[in-house]
Amino acid sequence: VYPLRMRLLDGLGVSRAGGAMLSPIARDRSVLQHHFSRGTARRILLQARPFTIWLIVFAVTVLLGSATTVLPMLLFQRIIDDGVLTGNTDLVVQLALLVAGLALAGALLTLLERWCSARIGEGLTQRLRCQLFDRVSTMPLAFFTRSNTGRVISRISGDVAGAQQAFTSTFSQALSSTTTLLLVLGSMLVLSWQLTLAALVLLPVFMVPAKLVARRAARLARLRMDHQAELTDTMTERFTVSGAMLVKLFGDPRRESRMFEEQAGQVARDGVRMAMMVRVFLSTLTLLGALGTALFYGLGGSAVIEGRLSLGTLTAMVALLARLYGPLTQLSNLRIDLMTAMVSFERVFEVLDLKPSIYDAHDSIDVPGPPSVEFDKVWFTYPTASEVSLASLSPEAGREKKRGEKVLSEISFYVEPGQTVALVGPSGAGKTTITHLVARLYEVEYGAVRVGGADVRGLRQASLRETVGYVTQDAHLFHDTIRANLEYARPEAKEEQLWEALEGAQLADFVRGLPEGLDTMVGERGYRLSGGERQRLAIARLLLKSPPVIILDEATAHLDATSEHLVQQALDVARQGRTAIVVAHRLSTVRSADLILVLDKGRIIERGTHDELLAADGAYAKLYQRQFDTSG
Ligand code: ADP
């Protein structure tokens, strides 16, 4: 049972952490108009099921806790009427000790209650977070290209926090306010129903203006949160490496500083107004309490003189009055709080309900044959945002209705195990897209992609991943050590195997020269490594995994000659003895390829070996003269 002041502040949406951690969807009356899909409540209960025991313990604790706050008031009556007024010192002492004992028990129960609610809240949060993480992780690549990462993450952190609040604060408040209110009101009615009625009549006179202030304060709290979010946005945008660079190169420090000052000033002004509003609200309630007390002493005092009321009863009534208004205020805000919590849950469930479009079929098999790759009349268009994501997670979803133009049209080719196919053609021709389809990162629209002789849709995804390895253009590295980045591909790899892979990727000397060797951290997105080193690390990762089919994107154009040479050597090592599909930019690659596919606007316009295609003097010959680095 929180102290009254805290509960009032909670009711305003002001958290005890100082107002910074407001619930993600600030309390808003508009939630009352929200229509919940049927079953949300049932699903919430289902999520809470593992915590049934704790919930029961919690409810009992709350009940007992409320009793320990109300019982002493009733004892006051006996202390005065039966003890003080009859001169029974023993009884006074006994009852006083009992009051002290109840206070102690109350304090212990508060601890137990908090412990239960924290356990339930945190446990539920963990459960929901893990479920969300697993669900989002299994979504196909298209989901990530089409969804706004920030929004997805805010679901996993923000809305889960909202759901947690439902249990740790809303639910516990509801329960304790209700029980306290019932006990207090019941006791008061039994003691003196006339005074009780007087207290209740006084209530609306103050509650109505107080509620109005509370509503304004809540609105202000939301506004302040928006302003704070702006402030945070400004900082996060500018304090990333690329953001800081932009500011340094193009920004005006005075303008930046003025803008930030303006934003920070807004937050400060909101803070002052908010503080005043909260004060007015609290003062009104304090006044209400004080006036109620005056009324009690006035009315009740005369009644005592006339002998219609005992002195002890009056004392008990005054004490009970102080406990009446708090829970009442609490409960008046409860509906909004509950609905807000429901919205959080609903947003969480919405993500949990996403259907991964690419998954293992019941009868999926491992890659059956030697590592060949075949495209059989493949047609492909990238899915629209609404097909793969939620409108609330993707800014574009809902706007575009139909899929766009065909990205691949009737693509057919066959790569025998151990052979290399080079994909060439202008940018945007569909080369990268072809490579994406091999590992089933996207689903083909018509036709089939086969690996090892079997349609990828019938293969176990894990088996397909083991068979096909990628080195993409911008090789992503986790913000971790070189060792961890390598081991990600093969957690059980031994030290020698790591070095062997680095050796093959022409990176061993470089890593040996680093102060911390394999344990050197590679910064956010591998910032401390040059582009070439990063690519070679990605190649080392591939060599460590050692898949029979490799997909390489030879975007070496932005590398200097030495680095390019090293990357080239590493790629040649990687190709040895493997089936390879290479997005080729280098003459040496196309020359040695067993088959070159020339793509344009999603179609294969020419195919053959380097010599054949040169002799044909078609598109490839032209491309050859223009594009390929003849020094390679
Ligand atoms: P290349 O690798 O030959 O430069 P891509 O395969 O990357 O070409 O792109 C082929 C076409 O597909 C381009 O028109 C491009 O705009 C489009 N495209 C690529 N990726 C996506 C995506 N994730 N969503 C929608 N369209 C895409």
Side-chain angles (χ1 to χ4, degrees):
V1 182
Y2 309 120
L4 174 66
R5 195 189 134 87
M6 291 309 186
R7 289 159 156 250
L8 295 176
L9 291 179
D10 277 351
L12 281 177
V14 182
S15 100
R16 264 148 283 152
M21 271 291 297
L22 288 153
S23 72
I25 316 159
R27 289 133 211 263
D28 190 329
R29 294 196 77 76
S30 66
V31 298
L32 295 179
Q33 269 97 55
H34 187 88
H35 291 287
F36 293 98
S37 65
R38 268 187 300 158
T40 301
R42 201 175 43 92
R43 290 183 72 178
I44 295 175
L45 289 180
L46 224 59
Q47 288 288 347
R49 215 151 90 196
F51 308 102
T52 313
I53 305 270
W54 288 108
L55 281 167
I56 293 171
V57 175
F58 175 71
V60 172
T61 320
V62 168
L63 204 69
L64 292 178
S66 300
T68 57
T69 59
V70 176
L71 266 182
M73 325 279 163
L74 299 177
L75 290 177
F76 293 161
Q77 183 202 20
R78 301 234 4 242
I79 291 179
I80 290 177
D81 287 348
D82 304 346
V84 176
L85 295 181
T86 60
N88 186 343
T89 314
D90 284 351
L91 187 68
V92 169
V93 172
Q94 276 166 17
L95 290 176
L97 282 176
L98 192 55
V99 170
L102 281 171
L104 190 67
L108 291 177
L109 282 169
T110 320
L111 289 183
L112 185 61
E113 181 192 315
R114 189 76 192 104
W115 193 57
C116 288
S117 72
R119 270 197 84 116
I120 298 166
E122 296 293 339
L124 189 79
T125 307
Q126 185 196 5
R127 234 174 95 91
L128 288 178
R129 272 204 186 118
C130 294
Q131 285 176 14
L132 284 173
F133 185 84
D134 289 348
R135 167 56 65 220
V136 173
S137 307
T138 51
M139 290 306 286
L141 193 63
F143 171 80
F144 298 94
T145 60
R146 292 300 196 180
S147 306
N148 179 318
T149 315
R151 293 188 196 190
V152 177
I153 292 174
S154 105
R155 286 291 166 97
I156 302 187
S157 44
D159 288 314
V160 167
Q164 175 190 28
Q165 196 174 14
F167 273 87
T168 45
S169 126
T170 309
F171 178 64
S172 56
Q173 272 171 24
L175 203 61
S176 67
S177 294
T178 313
T179 48
T180 309
L181 189 67
L182 288 180
L183 285 175
V184 168
L185 213 54
S187 313
M188 286 176 84
L189 281 170
V190 170
L191 289 176
S192 164
W193 62 267
Q194 296 96 329
L195 279 184
T196 312
L197 281 187
L200 290 180
V201 166
L202 196 61
L203 201 65
V205 183
F206 287 88
M207 283 303 271
V208 172
K211 287 234 37 151
L212 289 181
V213 176
R215 206 172 302 168
R216 285 199 63 188
R219 219 171 13 234
L220 198 62
R222 209 156 40 241
L223 197 69
R224 181 159 193 240
M225 207 162 62
D226 289 345
H227 287 145
Q228 254 164 2
E230 272 171 30
L231 206 64
T232 316
D233 275 353
T234 306
M235 289 191 279
T236 40
E237 270 192 351
R238 276 156 185 76
F239 296 167
T240 57
V241 177
S242 44
M245 189 133 139
L246 184 70
V247 172
K248 295 226 179 300
L249 296 181
F250 293 98
D252 168 3
R254 272 170 311 170
R255 193 181 60 205
E256 288 286 312
S257 150
R258 257 202 315 279
M259 182 195 60
F260 193 78
E261 202 175 300
E262 173 53 36
Q263 287 181 338
Q266 190 63 51
V267 174
R269 282 191 293 279
D270 294 342
V272 173
R273 283 177 60 199
M274 177 93 193
M276 280 322 291
M277 214 84 92
V278 171
R279 191 65 252 171
V280 169
F281 176 75
L282 288 176
S283 299
T284 317
L285 287 170
T286 314
L287 191 64
L288 174 62
L291 289 178
T293 311
L295 185 76
F296 267 30
Y297 277 128
L299 287 177
S302 351
V304 172
I305 292 169
E306 288 161 22
R308 281 184 283 117
L309 198 70
S310 79
L311 185 58
T313 307
L314 178 61
T315 317
M317 285 298 283
V318 171
L320 282 168
L321 182 72
R323 295 271 167 187
L324 180 67
Y325 296 138
L328 268 177
T329 331
Q330 278 289 296
L331 287 175
S332 64
N333 277 321
L334 195 73
R335 221 156 79 87
I336 298 182
D337 285 355
L338 278 180
M339 295 296 221
T340 307
M342 291 268 282
V343 172
S344 285
F345 270 108
E346 211 174 51
R347 284 162 59 91
V348 167
F349 291 152
E350 207 178 52
V351 176
L352 286 181
D353 287 346
L354 283 170
K355 295 262 177 304
S357 52
I358 298 181
Y359 49 86
D360 284 347
H362 305 296
D363 49 358
S364 60
I365 54 168
D366 287 354
V367 178
S372 61
V373 175
E374 184 187 1
F375 273 56
D376 184 1
K377 297 206 182 74
V378 168
W379 296 74
F380 179 75
T381 316
Y382 280 98
T384 63
S386 14
E387 282 176 285
V388 290
S389 186
L390 290 168
S392 52
L393 293 179
S394 159
E396 324 145 41
R399 260 188 266 142
E400 39 166 26
K401 288 281 174 292
K402 285 209 302 273
R403 289 193 176 200
E405 274 185 48
K406 289 271 172 288
V407 172
L408 297 179
S409 308
E410 209 170 339
I411 299 288
S412 293
F413 64 89
Y414 181 75
V415 198
E416 279 176 34
Q419 281 197 339
T420 296
V421 163
L423 305 176
V424 302
S427 147
K431 304 181 293 289
T432 312
T433 307
I434 289 183
T435 66
H436 283 162
L437 295 181
V438 180
R440 204 186 168 204
L441 294 179
Y442 297 91
E443 212 81 283
V444 300
E445 247 179 313
Y446 308 106
V449 174
R450 301 195 186 95
V451 171
D455 192 322
V456 290
R457 282 166 291 195
L459 291 175
R460 226 160 41 79
Q461 285 185 81
S463 169
L464 186 60
R465 264 201 300 271
E466 265 163 37
T467 309
V468 184
Y470 279 76
V471 174
T472 51
Q473 267 189 41
D474 80 300
H476 185 78
L477 300 178
F478 288 114
H479 179 73
D480 207 331
T481 60
I482 293 183
R483 183 194 301 279
N485 268 291
L486 285 175
E487 282 175 347
Y488 192 72
R490 201 168 151 198
E492 77 291 347
K494 296 199 183 59
E495 186 91 7
E496 310 94 72
Q497 291 169 317
L498 296 184
W499 284 109
E500 209 174 291
L502 287 171
E503 210 70 67
Q506 315 298 317
L507 204 63
D509 288 338
F510 169 78
V511 174
R512 242 178 251 123
L514 291 172
E516 289 171 83
L518 274 174
D519 295 310
T520 309
M521 290 289 271
V522 281
E524 177 116 64
R525 283 183 73 80
Y527 250 66
R528 285 192 239 160
L529 298 182
S530 77
E533 287 149 8
R534 203 160 65 209
Q535 256 180 354
R536 270 139 60 207
L537 188 51
I539 296 170
R541 186 152 67 184
L542 182 81
L543 289 175
L544 192 64
K545 179 175 157 180
S546 194
V549 178
I550 57 169
I551 315 266
L552 308 170
D553 201 329
E554 266 191 341
T556 50
H558 60 290
L559 302 178
D560 62 77
T562 324
S563 172
E564 187 177 330
H565 181 66
L566 288 170
V567 169
Q568 198 52 49
Q569 270 184 307
L571 288 177
D572 289 343
V573 171
R575 265 170 51 199
Q576 276 161 26
R578 296 198 170 92
T579 311
I581 298 179
V582 188
V583 177
H585 291 268
R586 302 255 328 170
L587 186 63
S588 63
T589 313
V590 285
R591 261 202 197 132
S592 63
D594 301 287
L595 177 67
I596 300 168
L597 301 175
V598 185
L599 284 139
D600 189 34
K601 299 197 183 75
R603 289 180 180 278
I604 298 178
I605 53 169
E606 279 179 17
R607 65 175 77 209
T609 62
H610 177 68
D611 294 336
E612 286 165 13
L613 290 175
L614 274 190
D617 196 23
Y620 179 79
K622 278 204 208 79
L623 203 70
Y624 167 72
Q625 272 144 25
R626 244 188 318 148
Q627 190 176 329
F628 287 109
D629 172 6
T630 36
S631 69

